[in-house]
Amino acid sequence: MTKKYDYIIVGAGSAGCILANRLSESGQHQVLLLETGGTDKSIFIQMPTALSYPMNTAKYAWQFHSQAETGLDGRKMHCPRGKVLGGSSSINGMVYVRGHAMDYEQWQEQGATGWNYADCLPYFKQAETWQNGEDEYRGGSGPVGTCGGNDMRLNPLYQAFIDAGQEAGYPYTKDYNGQQQEGFGTMHMTVKNGVRSSTSNAHLRRALKRSNFTLMKRVTAQKVLFNGLQAKGIEYLQGEKIKQVFARKEVILSAGSVGSPQLLQLSGIGPKQVLADANVPLLHELPGVGENLQDHLEVYFQYRCKQPISLNSKLDYFNMGLIGARWILTKTGLGATNHFESCGFIRSRAGLKWPNIQYHFLPAAMRYDGNAAFDGHGYQVHVGPNKPSSRGHIRITSNKASDAPEIRFNYIGTQQDQQDWRDCIRLTREVLNQPALDAFKGEEIQPGKDVQTDEQIDAWVKQNVESAYHPSCTCKMGADDDAMAVLDNHCKVRGVKGLRVVDSSIFPVITNGNLNAPTMMVAEKAADLILGNTPLAPSNANVWIADQWQDKQRTGTPVRVLEPVQD
């Protein structure tokens, strides 16, 4: 007889591992977790500085690509998704950004009742152990370790960038994950004792010790099984054999912003025409499945460094070997950080209530593959607008789970997105030309001094922008009267029973920052919803908003103002 489980979770990623832990910890429920990938014990996953390796390795990540993007001169963009225990929390850059409090007010305004900031903050706290302990905003006893990396004083470029932001007229923030996101300060990461703090390390390891929890690796879900409109299990591929497993209570899709809508569509739930074109029988029409796709784009703003202090001198095999050896022996040093240790969040124009541009500062000038961008020393900021108005989609093209879906982001597809990028380039150049960086700043490598006009900026961005790897929002929560809402505010799939989605696809709108932190929060909160637990009490913590946000892009006066170049 086929064994039944109370809960079947598809996907051992940022959300799935948390659900596996939380749903099994009482010992009262039989929980099964299905994962296509395998072990995450590779040094290239566990050592923070090796972050570029797993993301670009087929063994650990689905190597998806978008369709030709019209707004990017027809480029097909890389879209890796985790395919290993821990999912994308095992292949990401470990940057810990919760997003702005107003992002969650926006969720509630768009129909996700119960998901405002006051309701979400307690679950952010529950999820983490912050290196400085618990306070009104930060958690002190959660499974995932968060920290500020190494001592920032090890490289003066980190502090110089923060100082430059203040000289440009922006505030300083002590903790952008606390009361005040807006401003410049130190950046946080999901690293604990020098090791990547993935949800696999933090949650799955605990669940695996329990007799009521089962993990099945190297199996690929094919579709959700139904009895009428009641989800009853999962059909999956193991080796060459198609098998089935059944759930007494619920099936939960945590396959990510690509995998979850793909599975729903393969199961007959989605836009009617998409399913017809893919030869999938329609079970229940939900036009929003796979729609509303959002992502963050970023560019590398690079300068030569006049002083030989950047990490470019550490990129040769000898130095990398020394860094790796120290990490293996002590879990300390340059191997124990992602090197993004200072950052900034700013508003690109007056009238924005909260930031829409994010900076990751890196004391090295590198290419996307992790190699040096040029000979000598340099530094760079990763920067881009975080609240795009463009929307894309995920759509299956056949009834086979092995066929990659069509991914189309429609990047920079609106005039507002285009203008945000122009503002982003000009404001970034102004920050990087403040006196605090004068002692270090050499030639601007890219965009380059010749990129000044709107047309020049537009052309350069189209050719140089890359995904920040934050696809989301493809199974959004929403109100009953929103025809495009896939889920209700309990993460239940509308129109069917016994089926939920819990991952970054449920966001109504993308948050202002990296997505791992809000995805973990979503899983913590959803676990209580699934189990019927009393929700954590809402927080009454204050949120900092710039006093004159309606009328001023920033409240300070820049030390050095760059003269705008006229078109």
Side-chain angles (χ1 to χ4, degrees):
M1 295 180 63
T2 302
K3 183 176 181 181
K4 284 191 175 183
Y5 298 84
D6 293 305
Y7 298 105
I8 299 175
I9 306 163
V10 179
S14 297
C17 288
I18 292 176
L19 292 177
N21 181 28
R22 297 305 189 191
L23 298 184
S24 67
E25 62 187 346
S26 71
Q28 298 176 2
H29 309 293
Q30 292 291 325
V31 179
L32 172 66
L33 178 61
L34 303 175
E35 169 56 40
T36 303
T39 180
D40 61 333
K41 293 185 178 180
S42 165
I43 185 176
F44 295 109
I45 290 176
Q46 300 300 329
M47 182 167 61
T49 195
L51 59 94
S52 66
Y53 178 82
M55 187 177 295
N56 292 291
T57 303
K59 180 180 179 181
Y60 301 126
W62 299 98
Q63 299 298 318
F64 294 125
H65 285 82
S66 77
Q67 300 296 300
E69 294 286 343
T70 303
L72 304 183
D73 291 341
R75 295 171 61 202
K76 295 184 177 181
M77 304 296 281
H78 187 212
C79 183
R81 298 285 83 205
K83 188 178 66 173
V84 63
L85 296 182
S88 292
S89 76
S90 289
I91 69 167
N92 67 3
M94 292 155 284
V95 176
Y96 184 78
V97 182
R98 294 174 172 180
H100 195 279
M102 293 304 300
D103 291 326
Y104 304 99
E105 302 303 304
Q106 192 177 29
W107 284 16
Q108 177 141 302
E109 289 170 5
Q110 296 208 10
T113 306
W115 291 84
N116 62 14
Y117 183 64
D119 291 315
C120 291
L121 179 55
Y123 289 98
F124 277 117
K125 292 182 64 177
Q126 177 176 283
E128 71 162 342
T129 292
W130 170 234
Q131 65 177 11
N132 296 325
E134 184 173 2
D135 61 26
E136 192 174 12
Y137 301 90
R138 306 305 297 263
S141 57
V144 173
T146 54
C147 70
N150 284 328
D151 188 338
M152 276 212 324
R153 290 172 296 183
L154 292 175
N155 195 308
L157 286 166
Y158 288 124
Q159 188 62 50
F161 176 70
I162 295 172
D163 294 343
Q166 294 174 263
E167 289 175 345
Y170 301 102
Y172 170 76
T173 176
K174 182 180 179 181
D175 182 355
Y176 65 85
N177 283 311
Q179 181 180 22
Q180 178 185 340
Q181 187 192 58
E182 187 166 342
F184 286 72
T186 58
M187 184 160 254
H188 309 153
M189 59 188 77
T190 49
V191 173
K192 183 177 182 179
N193 298 325
V195 178
R196 178 191 288 270
S197 192
S198 65
T199 58
S200 175
N201 286 338
H203 286 271
L204 186 57
R205 301 280 186 268
R206 303 181 186 203
L208 285 168
K209 298 176 183 178
R210 301 177 187 134
S211 60
N212 63 314
F213 174 73
T214 303
L215 169 66
M216 293 178 61
K217 296 181 290 186
R218 304 195 184 285
V219 299
T220 304
Q222 305 294 295
K223 63 181 179 181
V224 181
L225 298 171
F226 283 88
N227 182 6
L229 292 176
Q230 171 75 47
K232 65 175 185 177
I234 291 288
E235 183 173 283
Y236 64 93
L237 179 68
Q238 185 173 43
E240 300 296 322
K241 295 182 179 180
I242 293 289
K243 299 182 179 182
Q244 296 181 339
V245 65
F246 299 97
R248 297 187 189 93
K249 294 184 176 181
E250 293 189 21
V251 174
I252 306 161
L253 304 185
S254 294
S257 55
V258 176
S260 288
Q262 180 187 23
L263 263 175
L264 286 177
Q265 291 174 10
L266 287 169
S267 307
I269 301 173
K272 185 176 182 179
Q273 192 59 51
V274 171
L275 302 190
D277 291 344
N279 198 28
V280 173
L282 179 69
L283 176 74
H284 176 61
E285 184 175 7
L286 271 183
V289 174
E291 301 300 305
N292 195 46
L293 174 62
Q294 297 163 50
D295 189 21
H296 292 146
L297 291 171
E298 65 181 12
V299 295
Y300 288 7
F301 222 111
Q302 295 178 331
Y303 282 81
R304 291 193 181 275
C305 185
K306 293 191 292 188
Q307 298 186 33
I309 58 171
S310 75
L311 295 177
N312 283 63
S313 62
K314 307 295 184 182
L315 297 177
D316 60 277
Y317 288 118
F318 177 75
N319 276 288
M320 287 194 290
L322 292 178
I323 292 168
R326 176 177 174 179
W327 183 84
I328 290 170
L329 294 172
T330 68
K331 302 298 186 288
T332 62
L334 293 177
T337 174
N338 62 9
H339 307 291
F340 295 118
E341 299 190 28
S342 59
C343 66
F345 296 87
I346 69 171
R347 292 173 292 116
S348 68
R349 60 186 184 275
L352 291 178
K353 194 172 183 178
W354 70 100
N356 67 324
I357 289 178
Q358 177 182 358
Y359 295 102
H360 305 63
F361 181 81
L362 183 68
M366 303 173 69
R367 302 197 312 250
Y368 274 88
D369 62 6
N371 292 315
F374 48 77
D375 292 335
H377 285 266
Y379 55 87
Q380 67 193 33
V381 287
H382 300 201
V383 60
N386 271 354
K387 301 295 281 188
S389 56
S390 302
R391 300 291 184 264
H393 62 249
I394 306 283
R395 295 173 182 168
I396 58 172
T397 59
S398 80
N399 58 12
K400 297 179 180 178
S402 56
D403 290 343
E406 174 186 294
I407 303 174
R408 190 181 303 277
F409 291 97
N410 294 321
Y411 288 125
I412 319 184
T414 67
Q415 289 187 343
Q416 186 60 65
D417 286 353
Q418 191 174 56
Q419 185 59 48
D420 285 348
W421 269 107
R422 295 167 182 169
D423 295 339
C424 176
I425 296 300
R426 291 185 173 117
L427 292 169
T428 301
R429 184 174 275 140
E430 184 179 39
V431 169
L432 295 175
N433 277 278
Q434 294 300 313
L437 285 163
D438 281 353
F440 311 104
K441 180 171 64 70
E443 176 189 4
E444 181 185 308
I445 299 299
Q446 65 175 31
K449 62 183 180 180
D450 294 333
V451 178
Q452 297 284 349
T453 68
D454 285 356
E455 291 77 14
Q456 290 166 341
I457 291 173
D458 293 347
W460 184 82
V461 167
K462 287 179 179 181
Q463 285 298 313
N464 289 275
V465 78
E466 295 290 345
S467 173
Y469 308 128
H470 299 159
S472 53
C473 309
T474 48
C475 297
K476 73 171 186 173
M477 292 186 289
D480 292 341
D481 59 359
D482 182 352
M484 298 302 288
V486 177
L487 312 175
D488 66 13
N489 64 343
H490 282 62
C491 307
K492 294 180 179 179
V493 178
R494 294 184 180 280
V496 300
K497 297 179 180 180
L499 181 61
R500 300 194 207 219
V501 179
V502 180
D503 52 37
S504 65
S505 70
I506 82 167
F507 299 1
V509 181
I510 197 168
T511 54
N512 183 43
N514 308 65
L515 299 193
N516 190 229
T519 302
M520 292 190 291
M521 177 277 293
V522 160
E524 292 279 8
K525 187 166 164 50
D528 274 352
L529 295 173
I530 294 165
L531 293 171
N533 295 338
T534 301
L536 298 180
S539 169
N540 59 2
N542 292 323
V543 176
W544 187 93
I545 301 290
D547 289 339
Q548 297 173 292
W549 64 267
Q550 296 98 330
D551 306 308
K552 291 188 176 183
Q553 182 261 330
R554 68 194 107 173
T555 54
T557 301
V559 174
R560 182 180 294 159
V561 179
L562 297 184
E563 291 297 325
V565 174
Q566 299 299 320
D567 288 3

